Amino acid sequence: MTLHPTSPDFKDNAHRALHDPELQKALGHVQHGFIYKRQSAVERLPEFENLREAARDLKNHVLQHLDLYLETYERNVTAAGGQVHFARTSAEACETIVNICKSHGAKSVTKGKSMVSEEIGLNAAIEAAGMQAVETDLGEYIIQLRGETPSHIIAPAVHLTKEQVEGDFRRVHTHLDDARDLSEPVQLLTEARGVLRQKFLDADVGITGANFLVAETGSSIIVTNEGNGDLTQSLPRVHIVIASIEKVVPTLEDASLLLRVLARSATGQDMSVYTTLSTGPRRETDPDGPEHYHVVLVDNGRSAMLGTEFEDMLRCIRCGACMNHCPVYHAIGGHAYGWVYPGPMGAVLTPSLIGVEKGGHLPNASTFCGRCESVCPVKIPLPKLMRHWREREFERHLTPAVQRYGLKVWAFFAKNPGLYSLATRAAMTTLAWLGREKGRFASLPLAKGWTEYRDLPAPQGDTFQAQWRKRQRETRR
Amino acid sequence: MSARDDIFSNIRRSLGVNGKETPRRAAVTQRLADTPRGPIPARGQGSPAARLATFITEATRVSASVVVLDSVQSVPQEVARFLQEAQVPLTLKRGSDARLADLDWQAAGLDVSSGPSGGSDLNAISHAFGGVAETGSLVLLSGPDNPVTLTFLPDNHFVVLSGADLVSDLDSVLAKLRRIEALPRTVNIVTGPSRSADIEQTLLLGAHGPRRLHIMVVLG
């Protein structure tokens, strides 16, 4: 049921995205909002850098002891009256969840926001089994109405303008007055609140993700701003938590450490509005809450990343800071990446989870500017990991022939410094002479990819190496 | 092999371990026993008065309103005042928490009922387990005393916090949780009223949960 990836068509996707005026308008909000808000939150907390280092060390410790913490977690969920299920693949995870829903005679299922549920294609599986799946996070609800996937891991509808949302609400909420005013975001929010309130109350099963799983207590933790995750888990008879295996942390204090970096990195809040620890089903004397509590732990390729050069990626806490700060993401948005996870974290994770054959283009969509690594709350060396993928892609002959040939030509010269110096000198002298009048080129053979969008400056003098030698001679004098 | 066994054996193969190594087991046991804290922000630390000031600043920053009361007996009057000012009917839902049940609501003109919310209550009140100065957060425990539906379904949520339960940082309140008999089904850490910025990054209050959060800190 896994979402069919369009990552192999990354170049075409990116081209389309660059020429989509509505998308370009919507993406403006990412560039300005997220970066400024995160920066303000970080400046207000002098301990932030120390917290990042502690968060990185904690996640490394967990990954090295993942089997043992998962055992502890499983034991404590069971002790609290919950049930833990393990799923190797997307298909297994979907099957497990659909079976739980069916065993409770469910017709309607509400969902809190969960990226791993997108990864395994859960909504399609629920619908295929004849049940209704309703996304309740406002952004997720909007894209579900449009039949789209999230374009951002924490702001799923960030690629849309309010006019597009208005169009969707008018198309779907046909029971409401045609003449109503929906020109402002607040009117759209109020309408969604009203429509979804009934869905919450009618649901038989509520499914949430988990930001963290606490081994010590057997609790799952979700953070939301809307409160939808809480209505999703507290109103129906059954609560199902879906989480990937690397979400486990040892103790409540460890969850606290990660919470301190999560919201600040994501939305620039000190804390999200609702941080909820859920432990088991309702107690005997509880007047509300679900009667059943299930956790489905999904591997789906993660255990194979341990012990490899991509292990660092399993530290990711899904804040979205890397994409918020990525110039490539700013230009093309999330859908162009073609699968569930966009931006720098997606460029590393996608080939790990669906294969370098399908996701190999993504690690190439980076200028290696390093902003992603500099804002990552758990200090994942994203550019380095993307470089590892490029190497693997090259080793496996997945790189196009022209590029491979070009690299070989370059390598030949690079290994022969005398020839390299001679060739570059000749080329630079020629280019400098050709461009001597304008000082730039509007077009050049073999350089259309560059000159189509901007001029290429003509060389102003000698090569770098020649200038360096000259300077060395002068300083010695 | 079951999915469970398969996943555990894959993890162990990738890590090059068998799961029985004594040093690894000891490291895990120790961390679970010691519960070490990460760096704790200085922001919420200080005397009780400084803590209260920080709590008010932080809770206000996230659009909650805060008042300080000398006595819990003043809570009904304060709720009535708030609702009148907001031009909302004087109804209120509460749980069975004795600290709230014993108050004289009628004298303040409030029509109070008790139990969980079915979704039609405009206003509800809960008593917090604790407050966190660092972030202006409230910590609420689900159960018959303070049903979790009261925290999420009404439009206006009132929360009473005893000054003595206001701690400097999140870790301190979590440590207190460890001392209660058993964790309730949910521990809800609430930082301001519900909100969403999903449409064009415009921040709006009252997404699915309460539109207003009014905190009454009771000293004495």
Side-chain angles (χ1 to χ4, degrees), chain A residues 47 67 74 139 193 216 226 234 253-254 256 260 273 275 279 288 303, chain B residues 4 12 14 24 31 42 134 149 171 178 185 189 191 194 198 208-209:
Chain A
E47 296 88 353
D67 52 332
E74 182 190 24
R193 179 184 168 109
E216 174 196 10
E226 298 180 7
S234 286
E253 282 77 1
D254 294 321
S256 169
R260 285 197 177 94
V273 176
T275 301
T279 318
D288 47 21
S303 59
Chain B
R4 182 190 181 281
R12 287 177 174 139
S14 293
R24 288 179 80 241
R31 184 153 195 130
E134 176 189 0
T149 40
D171 294 48
R178 204 175 273 122
R185 184 184 74 83
I189 307 171
T191 314
S194 162
D198 271 348
H208 291 296

PDB file of all heavy atoms in Angstrom, chain A residues 47 67 74 139 193 216 226 234 253-254 256 260 273 275 279 288 303, chain B residues 4 12 14 24 31 42 134 149 171 178 185 189 191 194 198 208-209:
ATOM      1  N   GLU A  47      20.861  28.202  26.768  1.00  0.00           N
ATOM      2  CA  GLU A  47      21.285  26.803  26.900  1.00  0.00           C
ATOM      3  C   GLU A  47      21.063  26.002  25.623  1.00  0.00           C
ATOM      4  O   GLU A  47      21.323  24.793  25.594  1.00  0.00           O
ATOM      5  CB  GLU A  47      20.517  26.129  28.045  1.00  0.00           C
ATOM      6  CG  GLU A  47      20.786  26.697  29.423  1.00  0.00           C
ATOM      7  CD  GLU A  47      19.868  27.868  29.783  1.00  0.00           C
ATOM      8  OE1 GLU A  47      19.103  28.320  28.902  1.00  0.00           O
ATOM      9  OE2 GLU A  47      19.916  28.340  30.925  1.00  0.00           O
ATOM     10  N   ASP A  67      17.590  -2.359  21.078  1.00  0.00           N
ATOM     11  CA  ASP A  67      16.881  -3.609  21.392  1.00  0.00           C
ATOM     12  C   ASP A  67      16.436  -3.634  22.858  1.00  0.00           C
ATOM     13  O   ASP A  67      15.315  -4.030  23.181  1.00  0.00           O
ATOM     14  CB  ASP A  67      17.762  -4.822  21.065  1.00  0.00           C
ATOM     15  CG  ASP A  67      19.152  -4.734  21.693  1.00  0.00           C
ATOM     16  OD1 ASP A  67      19.646  -3.603  21.920  1.00  0.00           O
ATOM     17  OD2 ASP A  67      19.752  -5.790  21.990  1.00  0.00           O
ATOM     18  N   GLU A  74       8.141  -2.259  25.697  1.00  0.00           N
ATOM     19  CA  GLU A  74       7.091  -3.248  25.447  1.00  0.00           C
ATOM     20  C   GLU A  74       6.540  -3.806  26.769  1.00  0.00           C
ATOM     21  O   GLU A  74       5.328  -3.915  26.957  1.00  0.00           O
ATOM     22  CB  GLU A  74       7.670  -4.379  24.597  1.00  0.00           C
ATOM     23  CG  GLU A  74       6.659  -5.455  24.235  1.00  0.00           C
ATOM     24  CD  GLU A  74       7.321  -6.678  23.597  1.00  0.00           C
ATOM     25  OE1 GLU A  74       8.533  -6.903  23.834  1.00  0.00           O
ATOM     26  OE2 GLU A  74       6.633  -7.410  22.881  1.00  0.00           O
ATOM     27  N   GLY A 139      -4.113  21.048   8.546  1.00  0.00           N
ATOM     28  CA  GLY A 139      -3.347  20.932   7.303  1.00  0.00           C
ATOM     29  C   GLY A 139      -3.563  19.590   6.630  1.00  0.00           C
ATOM     30  O   GLY A 139      -3.751  19.497   5.410  1.00  0.00           O
ATOM     31  N   ARG A 193     -13.261  23.476  12.150  1.00  0.00           N
ATOM     32  CA  ARG A 193     -13.515  23.093  13.540  1.00  0.00           C
ATOM     33  C   ARG A 193     -14.919  22.510  13.688  1.00  0.00           C
ATOM     34  O   ARG A 193     -15.115  21.475  14.311  1.00  0.00           O
ATOM     35  CB  ARG A 193     -13.326  24.318  14.448  1.00  0.00           C
ATOM     36  CG  ARG A 193     -13.598  24.057  15.933  1.00  0.00           C
ATOM     37  CD  ARG A 193     -13.472  25.351  16.744  1.00  0.00           C
ATOM     38  NE  ARG A 193     -13.993  25.190  18.095  1.00  0.00           N
ATOM     39  CZ  ARG A 193     -13.240  25.158  19.195  1.00  0.00           C
ATOM     40  NH1 ARG A 193     -11.945  25.291  19.112  1.00  0.00           N
ATOM     41  NH2 ARG A 193     -13.787  25.003  20.378  1.00  0.00           N
ATOM     42  N   GLU A 216      10.686   3.750  30.212  1.00  0.00           N
ATOM     43  CA  GLU A 216      10.485   3.680  31.662  1.00  0.00           C
ATOM     44  C   GLU A 216       9.022   3.486  32.075  1.00  0.00           C
ATOM     45  O   GLU A 216       8.724   2.750  33.017  1.00  0.00           O
ATOM     46  CB  GLU A 216      10.996   5.003  32.248  1.00  0.00           C
ATOM     47  CG  GLU A 216      10.750   5.188  33.713  1.00  0.00           C
ATOM     48  CD  GLU A 216      10.914   6.649  34.148  1.00  0.00           C
ATOM     49  OE1 GLU A 216      11.034   7.543  33.290  1.00  0.00           O
ATOM     50  OE2 GLU A 216      10.915   6.878  35.361  1.00  0.00           O
ATOM     51  N   GLU A 226      -3.112  22.032  17.926  1.00  0.00           N
ATOM     52  CA  GLU A 226      -4.551  22.195  17.710  1.00  0.00           C
ATOM     53  C   GLU A 226      -5.378  21.511  18.781  1.00  0.00           C
ATOM     54  O   GLU A 226      -6.490  21.940  19.082  1.00  0.00           O
ATOM     55  CB  GLU A 226      -4.914  21.646  16.330  1.00  0.00           C
ATOM     56  CG  GLU A 226      -4.207  22.398  15.204  1.00  0.00           C
ATOM     57  CD  GLU A 226      -4.552  21.876  13.820  1.00  0.00           C
ATOM     58  OE1 GLU A 226      -5.439  21.016  13.696  1.00  0.00           O
ATOM     59  OE2 GLU A 226      -3.919  22.334  12.859  1.00  0.00           O
ATOM     60  N   SER A 234      -8.923  10.491  22.777  1.00  0.00           N
ATOM     61  CA  SER A 234      -9.723  10.425  24.006  1.00  0.00           C
ATOM     62  C   SER A 234     -11.200  10.148  23.783  1.00  0.00           C
ATOM     63  O   SER A 234     -11.899   9.759  24.709  1.00  0.00           O
ATOM     64  CB  SER A 234      -9.569  11.725  24.799  1.00  0.00           C
ATOM     65  OG  SER A 234      -8.296  11.741  25.411  1.00  0.00           O
ATOM     66  N   GLU A 253      12.748  12.217  31.778  1.00  0.00           N
ATOM     67  CA  GLU A 253      13.716  13.317  31.673  1.00  0.00           C
ATOM     68  C   GLU A 253      14.303  13.386  30.262  1.00  0.00           C
ATOM     69  O   GLU A 253      14.591  14.469  29.747  1.00  0.00           O
ATOM     70  CB  GLU A 253      14.853  13.144  32.690  1.00  0.00           C
ATOM     71  CG  GLU A 253      14.481  13.536  34.113  1.00  0.00           C
ATOM     72  CD  GLU A 253      13.639  12.493  34.829  1.00  0.00           C
ATOM     73  OE1 GLU A 253      13.341  11.436  34.239  1.00  0.00           O
ATOM     74  OE2 GLU A 253      13.263  12.737  35.995  1.00  0.00           O
ATOM     75  N   ASP A 254      14.494  12.216  29.643  1.00  0.00           N
ATOM     76  CA  ASP A 254      15.025  12.196  28.274  1.00  0.00           C
ATOM     77  C   ASP A 254      14.009  12.779  27.294  1.00  0.00           C
ATOM     78  O   ASP A 254      14.371  13.503  26.372  1.00  0.00           O
ATOM     79  CB  ASP A 254      15.402  10.764  27.882  1.00  0.00           C
ATOM     80  CG  ASP A 254      16.573  10.249  28.715  1.00  0.00           C
ATOM     81  OD1 ASP A 254      17.495  11.038  28.978  1.00  0.00           O
ATOM     82  OD2 ASP A 254      16.549   9.068  29.117  1.00  0.00           O
ATOM     83  N   SER A 256      11.884  15.019  28.118  1.00  0.00           N
ATOM     84  CA  SER A 256      11.910  16.450  28.415  1.00  0.00           C
ATOM     85  C   SER A 256      13.040  17.159  27.659  1.00  0.00           C
ATOM     86  O   SER A 256      12.859  18.237  27.087  1.00  0.00           O
ATOM     87  CB  SER A 256      12.071  16.638  29.927  1.00  0.00           C
ATOM     88  OG  SER A 256      12.353  17.965  30.242  1.00  0.00           O
ATOM     89  N   ARG A 260      12.553  20.067  24.675  1.00  0.00           N
ATOM     90  CA  ARG A 260      13.120  21.423  24.721  1.00  0.00           C
ATOM     91  C   ARG A 260      13.712  21.847  23.382  1.00  0.00           C
ATOM     92  O   ARG A 260      13.790  23.035  23.084  1.00  0.00           O
ATOM     93  CB  ARG A 260      14.197  21.520  25.819  1.00  0.00           C
ATOM     94  CG  ARG A 260      13.613  21.579  27.210  1.00  0.00           C
ATOM     95  CD  ARG A 260      14.622  22.092  28.233  1.00  0.00           C
ATOM     96  NE  ARG A 260      13.990  22.191  29.542  1.00  0.00           N
ATOM     97  CZ  ARG A 260      14.036  21.220  30.470  1.00  0.00           C
ATOM     98  NH1 ARG A 260      14.715  20.116  30.245  1.00  0.00           N
ATOM     99  NH2 ARG A 260      13.412  21.378  31.613  1.00  0.00           N
ATOM    100  N   VAL A 273       1.512  23.553  22.128  1.00  0.00           N
ATOM    101  CA  VAL A 273       0.419  23.804  23.075  1.00  0.00           C
ATOM    102  C   VAL A 273       0.091  22.553  23.894  1.00  0.00           C
ATOM    103  O   VAL A 273      -0.005  22.610  25.112  1.00  0.00           O
ATOM    104  CB  VAL A 273      -0.836  24.322  22.335  1.00  0.00           C
ATOM    105  CG1 VAL A 273      -1.996  24.497  23.311  1.00  0.00           C
ATOM    106  CG2 VAL A 273      -0.519  25.650  21.644  1.00  0.00           C
ATOM    107  N   THR A 275       1.240  18.798  24.951  1.00  0.00           N
ATOM    108  CA  THR A 275       2.172  17.677  25.021  1.00  0.00           C
ATOM    109  C   THR A 275       1.489  16.627  25.884  1.00  0.00           C
ATOM    110  O   THR A 275       1.203  16.892  27.059  1.00  0.00           O
ATOM    111  CB  THR A 275       3.488  18.118  25.671  1.00  0.00           C
ATOM    112  OG1 THR A 275       4.046  19.181  24.885  1.00  0.00           O
ATOM    113  CG2 THR A 275       4.481  16.961  25.734  1.00  0.00           C
ATOM    114  N   THR A 279      -0.695   6.502  28.570  1.00  0.00           N
ATOM    115  CA  THR A 279      -0.217   5.241  29.117  1.00  0.00           C
ATOM    116  C   THR A 279      -1.397   4.292  29.296  1.00  0.00           C
ATOM    117  O   THR A 279      -2.186   4.456  30.224  1.00  0.00           O
ATOM    118  CB  THR A 279       0.460   5.489  30.487  1.00  0.00           C
ATOM    119  OG1 THR A 279       1.276   6.671  30.403  1.00  0.00           O
ATOM    120  CG2 THR A 279       1.337   4.315  30.888  1.00  0.00           C
ATOM    121  N   ASP A 288     -13.885   9.012  31.061  1.00  0.00           N
ATOM    122  CA  ASP A 288     -13.710   9.154  29.611  1.00  0.00           C
ATOM    123  C   ASP A 288     -12.392   8.495  29.193  1.00  0.00           C
ATOM    124  O   ASP A 288     -11.645   7.990  30.029  1.00  0.00           O
ATOM    125  CB  ASP A 288     -13.764  10.632  29.175  1.00  0.00           C
ATOM    126  CG  ASP A 288     -12.899  11.541  30.046  1.00  0.00           C
ATOM    127  OD1 ASP A 288     -11.969  11.029  30.710  1.00  0.00           O
ATOM    128  OD2 ASP A 288     -13.146  12.758  30.069  1.00  0.00           O
ATOM    129  N   SER A 303      15.920  -0.923  10.973  1.00  0.00           N
ATOM    130  CA  SER A 303      16.916  -1.762  11.657  1.00  0.00           C
ATOM    131  C   SER A 303      18.129  -2.000  10.752  1.00  0.00           C
ATOM    132  O   SER A 303      19.244  -2.171  11.240  1.00  0.00           O
ATOM    133  CB  SER A 303      16.297  -3.090  12.103  1.00  0.00           C
ATOM    134  OG  SER A 303      15.792  -3.795  10.995  1.00  0.00           O
TER     135      SER A 303
ATOM    136  N   ARG B   4       8.089  -9.666  15.485  1.00  0.00           N
ATOM    137  CA  ARG B   4       8.807  -9.156  16.654  1.00  0.00           C
ATOM    138  C   ARG B   4      10.231  -9.720  16.713  1.00  0.00           C
ATOM    139  O   ARG B   4      11.212  -8.977  16.817  1.00  0.00           O
ATOM    140  CB  ARG B   4       8.038  -9.533  17.924  1.00  0.00           C
ATOM    141  CG  ARG B   4       8.669  -9.016  19.186  1.00  0.00           C
ATOM    142  CD  ARG B   4       8.018  -9.622  20.431  1.00  0.00           C
ATOM    143  NE  ARG B   4       8.633  -9.077  21.626  1.00  0.00           N
ATOM    144  CZ  ARG B   4       9.802  -9.466  22.112  1.00  0.00           C
ATOM    145  NH1 ARG B   4      10.499 -10.411  21.491  1.00  0.00           N
ATOM    146  NH2 ARG B   4      10.303  -8.904  23.201  1.00  0.00           N
ATOM    147  N   ARG B  12      19.870  -6.443  16.365  1.00  0.00           N
ATOM    148  CA  ARG B  12      21.076  -6.982  17.011  1.00  0.00           C
ATOM    149  C   ARG B  12      22.142  -7.322  15.980  1.00  0.00           C
ATOM    150  O   ARG B  12      23.327  -7.090  16.215  1.00  0.00           O
ATOM    151  CB  ARG B  12      20.706  -8.190  17.871  1.00  0.00           C
ATOM    152  CG  ARG B  12      19.969  -7.720  19.120  1.00  0.00           C
ATOM    153  CD  ARG B  12      19.484  -8.817  20.026  1.00  0.00           C
ATOM    154  NE  ARG B  12      18.931  -8.190  21.225  1.00  0.00           N
ATOM    155  CZ  ARG B  12      17.829  -8.574  21.851  1.00  0.00           C
ATOM    156  NH1 ARG B  12      17.160  -9.630  21.436  1.00  0.00           N
ATOM    157  NH2 ARG B  12      17.411  -7.925  22.926  1.00  0.00           N
ATOM    158  N   SER B  14      22.568  -5.792  13.096  1.00  0.00           N
ATOM    159  CA  SER B  14      23.130  -4.509  12.640  1.00  0.00           C
ATOM    160  C   SER B  14      24.080  -3.922  13.670  1.00  0.00           C
ATOM    161  O   SER B  14      25.098  -3.322  13.319  1.00  0.00           O
ATOM    162  CB  SER B  14      22.009  -3.510  12.364  1.00  0.00           C
ATOM    163  OG  SER B  14      21.244  -3.933  11.265  1.00  0.00           O
ATOM    164  N   ARG B  24      26.142  -3.690  28.287  1.00  0.00           N
ATOM    165  CA  ARG B  24      25.028  -2.991  27.636  1.00  0.00           C
ATOM    166  C   ARG B  24      23.797  -3.021  28.539  1.00  0.00           C
ATOM    167  O   ARG B  24      23.112  -2.017  28.709  1.00  0.00           O
ATOM    168  CB  ARG B  24      24.685  -3.644  26.296  1.00  0.00           C
ATOM    169  CG  ARG B  24      25.708  -3.405  25.199  1.00  0.00           C
ATOM    170  CD  ARG B  24      25.280  -4.109  23.924  1.00  0.00           C
ATOM    171  NE  ARG B  24      24.274  -3.359  23.188  1.00  0.00           N
ATOM    172  CZ  ARG B  24      23.060  -3.803  22.912  1.00  0.00           C
ATOM    173  NH1 ARG B  24      22.670  -4.983  23.325  1.00  0.00           N
ATOM    174  NH2 ARG B  24      22.213  -3.057  22.225  1.00  0.00           N
ATOM    175  N   ARG B  31      20.697   3.838  33.477  1.00  0.00           N
ATOM    176  CA  ARG B  31      20.028   5.064  33.004  1.00  0.00           C
ATOM    177  C   ARG B  31      18.577   5.104  33.493  1.00  0.00           C
ATOM    178  O   ARG B  31      18.072   6.158  33.870  1.00  0.00           O
ATOM    179  CB  ARG B  31      20.073   5.144  31.483  1.00  0.00           C
ATOM    180  CG  ARG B  31      19.473   6.430  30.963  1.00  0.00           C
ATOM    181  CD  ARG B  31      20.013   6.870  29.637  1.00  0.00           C
ATOM    182  NE  ARG B  31      19.642   8.275  29.428  1.00  0.00           N
ATOM    183  CZ  ARG B  31      20.482   9.213  29.072  1.00  0.00           C
ATOM    184  NH1 ARG B  31      21.753   8.933  28.908  1.00  0.00           N
ATOM    185  NH2 ARG B  31      20.070  10.444  28.888  1.00  0.00           N
ATOM    186  N   ALA B  42      17.982  28.089  32.872  1.00  0.00           N
ATOM    187  CA  ALA B  42      17.995  28.924  34.078  1.00  0.00           C
ATOM    188  C   ALA B  42      16.704  29.728  34.203  1.00  0.00           C
ATOM    189  O   ALA B  42      16.346  30.179  35.290  1.00  0.00           O
ATOM    190  CB  ALA B  42      19.191  29.864  34.040  1.00  0.00           C
ATOM    191  N   GLU B 134       9.205  27.713  33.613  1.00  0.00           N
ATOM    192  CA  GLU B 134      10.047  27.759  32.410  1.00  0.00           C
ATOM    193  C   GLU B 134       9.272  28.092  31.138  1.00  0.00           C
ATOM    194  O   GLU B 134       9.727  28.871  30.306  1.00  0.00           O
ATOM    195  CB  GLU B 134      10.699  26.369  32.288  1.00  0.00           C
ATOM    196  CG  GLU B 134      11.540  26.143  31.067  1.00  0.00           C
ATOM    197  CD  GLU B 134      11.960  24.663  30.922  1.00  0.00           C
ATOM    198  OE1 GLU B 134      11.591  23.831  31.788  1.00  0.00           O
ATOM    199  OE2 GLU B 134      12.654  24.367  29.947  1.00  0.00           O
ATOM    200  N   THR B 149     -11.660  15.132  28.855  1.00  0.00           N
ATOM    201  CA  THR B 149     -12.489  15.814  27.857  1.00  0.00           C
ATOM    202  C   THR B 149     -12.749  17.277  28.239  1.00  0.00           C
ATOM    203  O   THR B 149     -13.014  18.098  27.371  1.00  0.00           O
ATOM    204  CB  THR B 149     -13.841  15.079  27.673  1.00  0.00           C
ATOM    205  OG1 THR B 149     -14.315  14.637  28.958  1.00  0.00           O
ATOM    206  CG2 THR B 149     -13.684  13.863  26.775  1.00  0.00           C
ATOM    207  N   ASP B 171      11.369  19.157  34.195  1.00  0.00           N
ATOM    208  CA  ASP B 171      11.904  17.941  34.820  1.00  0.00           C
ATOM    209  C   ASP B 171      11.449  17.799  36.272  1.00  0.00           C
ATOM    210  O   ASP B 171      11.248  16.688  36.762  1.00  0.00           O
ATOM    211  CB  ASP B 171      13.439  17.935  34.753  1.00  0.00           C
ATOM    212  CG  ASP B 171      13.927  17.823  33.328  1.00  0.00           C
ATOM    213  OD1 ASP B 171      13.421  18.580  32.480  1.00  0.00           O
ATOM    214  OD2 ASP B 171      14.805  16.985  33.056  1.00  0.00           O
ATOM    215  N   ARG B 178       6.600  10.804  39.076  1.00  0.00           N
ATOM    216  CA  ARG B 178       7.133   9.487  39.397  1.00  0.00           C
ATOM    217  C   ARG B 178       6.772   9.092  40.834  1.00  0.00           C
ATOM    218  O   ARG B 178       6.771   7.929  41.172  1.00  0.00           O
ATOM    219  CB  ARG B 178       8.651   9.523  39.202  1.00  0.00           C
ATOM    220  CG  ARG B 178       9.237   8.160  38.944  1.00  0.00           C
ATOM    221  CD  ARG B 178      10.713   8.235  38.634  1.00  0.00           C
ATOM    222  NE  ARG B 178      10.972   8.451  37.223  1.00  0.00           N
ATOM    223  CZ  ARG B 178      11.653   9.474  36.726  1.00  0.00           C
ATOM    224  NH1 ARG B 178      12.137  10.402  37.512  1.00  0.00           N
ATOM    225  NH2 ARG B 178      11.855   9.580  35.435  1.00  0.00           N
ATOM    226  N   ARG B 185      -4.108   7.666  32.840  1.00  0.00           N
ATOM    227  CA  ARG B 185      -4.054   7.352  31.404  1.00  0.00           C
ATOM    228  C   ARG B 185      -3.344   8.462  30.628  1.00  0.00           C
ATOM    229  O   ARG B 185      -2.489   8.185  29.811  1.00  0.00           O
ATOM    230  CB  ARG B 185      -5.449   7.129  30.813  1.00  0.00           C
ATOM    231  CG  ARG B 185      -5.383   6.702  29.341  1.00  0.00           C
ATOM    232  CD  ARG B 185      -6.734   6.561  28.700  1.00  0.00           C
ATOM    233  NE  ARG B 185      -7.370   7.833  28.417  1.00  0.00           N
ATOM    234  CZ  ARG B 185      -7.140   8.579  27.327  1.00  0.00           C
ATOM    235  NH1 ARG B 185      -6.288   8.167  26.414  1.00  0.00           N
ATOM    236  NH2 ARG B 185      -7.763   9.731  27.154  1.00  0.00           N
ATOM    237  N   ILE B 189       0.215  18.176  29.293  1.00  0.00           N
ATOM    238  CA  ILE B 189       0.974  19.402  29.527  1.00  0.00           C
ATOM    239  C   ILE B 189       0.428  20.444  28.557  1.00  0.00           C
ATOM    240  O   ILE B 189       0.496  20.267  27.336  1.00  0.00           O
ATOM    241  CB  ILE B 189       2.477  19.172  29.296  1.00  0.00           C
ATOM    242  CG1 ILE B 189       2.951  17.962  30.133  1.00  0.00           C
ATOM    243  CG2 ILE B 189       3.289  20.425  29.650  1.00  0.00           C
ATOM    244  CD1 ILE B 189       4.363  17.516  29.826  1.00  0.00           C
ATOM    245  N   THR B 191       0.145  24.346  27.196  1.00  0.00           N
ATOM    246  CA  THR B 191       0.875  25.610  27.118  1.00  0.00           C
ATOM    247  C   THR B 191       0.087  26.574  26.238  1.00  0.00           C
ATOM    248  O   THR B 191       0.282  26.636  25.031  1.00  0.00           O
ATOM    249  CB  THR B 191       2.295  25.365  26.563  1.00  0.00           C
ATOM    250  OG1 THR B 191       2.871  24.238  27.240  1.00  0.00           O
ATOM    251  CG2 THR B 191       3.188  26.576  26.765  1.00  0.00           C
ATOM    252  N   SER B 194      -5.526  26.379  22.371  1.00  0.00           N
ATOM    253  CA  SER B 194      -5.367  25.690  21.085  1.00  0.00           C
ATOM    254  C   SER B 194      -5.113  26.683  19.944  1.00  0.00           C
ATOM    255  O   SER B 194      -5.630  27.791  19.949  1.00  0.00           O
ATOM    256  CB  SER B 194      -6.652  24.912  20.814  1.00  0.00           C
ATOM    257  OG  SER B 194      -6.775  24.561  19.461  1.00  0.00           O
ATOM    258  N   ASP B 198      -1.808  26.442  10.076  1.00  0.00           N
ATOM    259  CA  ASP B 198      -1.727  25.610   8.875  1.00  0.00           C
ATOM    260  C   ASP B 198      -2.164  26.326   7.604  1.00  0.00           C
ATOM    261  O   ASP B 198      -1.877  25.867   6.509  1.00  0.00           O
ATOM    262  CB  ASP B 198      -2.552  24.334   9.057  1.00  0.00           C
ATOM    263  CG  ASP B 198      -1.712  23.217   9.677  1.00  0.00           C
ATOM    264  OD1 ASP B 198      -0.482  23.371   9.730  1.00  0.00           O
ATOM    265  OD2 ASP B 198      -2.293  22.195  10.102  1.00  0.00           O
ATOM    266  N   HIS B 208      -8.954  23.138  17.463  1.00  0.00           N
ATOM    267  CA  HIS B 208      -9.931  22.117  17.869  1.00  0.00           C
ATOM    268  C   HIS B 208     -10.219  22.172  19.365  1.00  0.00           C
ATOM    269  O   HIS B 208     -11.256  21.762  19.823  1.00  0.00           O
ATOM    270  CB  HIS B 208      -9.424  20.719  17.514  1.00  0.00           C
ATOM    271  CG  HIS B 208      -9.390  20.466  16.050  1.00  0.00           C
ATOM    272  ND1 HIS B 208     -10.527  20.448  15.289  1.00  0.00           N
ATOM    273  CD2 HIS B 208      -8.364  20.246  15.196  1.00  0.00           C
ATOM    274  CE1 HIS B 208     -10.198  20.208  14.022  1.00  0.00           C
ATOM    275  NE2 HIS B 208      -8.893  20.093  13.943  1.00  0.00           N
ATOM    276  N   GLY B 209      -9.265  22.675  20.127  1.00  0.00           N
ATOM    277  CA  GLY B 209      -9.415  22.766  21.573  1.00  0.00           C
ATOM    278  C   GLY B 209      -9.913  24.149  21.963  1.00  0.00           C
ATOM    279  O   GLY B 209     -10.397  24.919  21.123  1.00  0.00           O
TER     280      GLY B 209
END
